[in-house]
Amino acid sequence: MPDQDSNVNGGLRVLVVEDEWLVADYIVDVLEEAGHEVVATVTTGEKALESLERTGIDVALLDIKLKGTLSGIDVARAARAQGIPHVFITGSGDPATRTAAEATGPLGFLQKPFSREGLMAILAGSMRQEKAHGN
């Protein structure tokens, strides 16, 4: 019988933090087609923090610029403090923003528009990391 905390396909439990509806919908489609479970899709950093607190997730996909007062970088710091890996998906090419984001220790960056293959490659790396840590 499979572990209650993992999905039947052995995929990841993913939090999607994206304020552009079309981008969020695309990400959810890609994840679900690949056998991952999207535990929540939120548009603000505040909602993301709530989701991190109450939802067991394996990885967070974060846009850097969000609606509300918190950025994806703020959410990444909270995720890291809880031991939750994260990936940035961003349209920002600003070097200062990139430096601040890199300081949070992400699994990777995807520049918008990103490819399905790029997202799957980063998540595959996350799955290898999970297995290496015995999760």
Side-chain angles (χ1 to χ4, degrees):
M1 187 161 172
D3 184 328
Q4 292 294 328
D5 292 330
S6 62
N7 90 21
V8 176
N9 297 324
L12 296 168
R13 293 174 44 85
V14 184
L15 170 64
V16 176
V17 184
E18 171 59 62
D19 62 356
E20 294 178 53
W21 182 83
L22 287 174
V23 176
D25 191 50
Y26 174 72
I27 292 169
V28 169
D29 285 348
V30 169
L31 292 170
E32 289 178 346
E33 286 174 14
H36 302 294
E37 177 186 354
V38 176
V39 297
T41 303
V42 298
T43 59
T44 67
E46 292 79 5
K47 292 281 187 196
L49 293 182
E50 289 174 19
S51 293
L52 289 174
E53 290 296 326
R54 64 178 160 74
T55 311
I57 62 171
D58 298 315
V59 65
L61 300 182
L62 309 171
D63 189 3
I64 291 179
K65 295 185 181 186
L66 300 169
K67 294 178 181 169
T69 58
L70 298 176
S71 71
I73 294 171
D74 297 320
V75 175
R77 289 183 188 119
R80 182 175 179 160
Q82 295 179 41
I84 300 169
H86 60 282
V87 175
F88 285 112
I89 300 176
T90 184
S92 174
D94 174 53
T97 300
R98 175 78 181 224
T99 299
E102 284 175 351
T104 67
L107 292 173
F109 285 85
L110 289 171
Q111 188 72 32
K112 292 178 187 174
F114 61 91
S115 70
R116 176 181 304 258
E117 295 76 18
L119 177 56
M120 290 297 95
I122 287 176
L123 291 180
S126 178
M127 289 179 76
R128 283 191 299 275
Q129 184 179 53
E130 287 279 312
K131 288 179 183 170
H133 289 95
N135 294 332

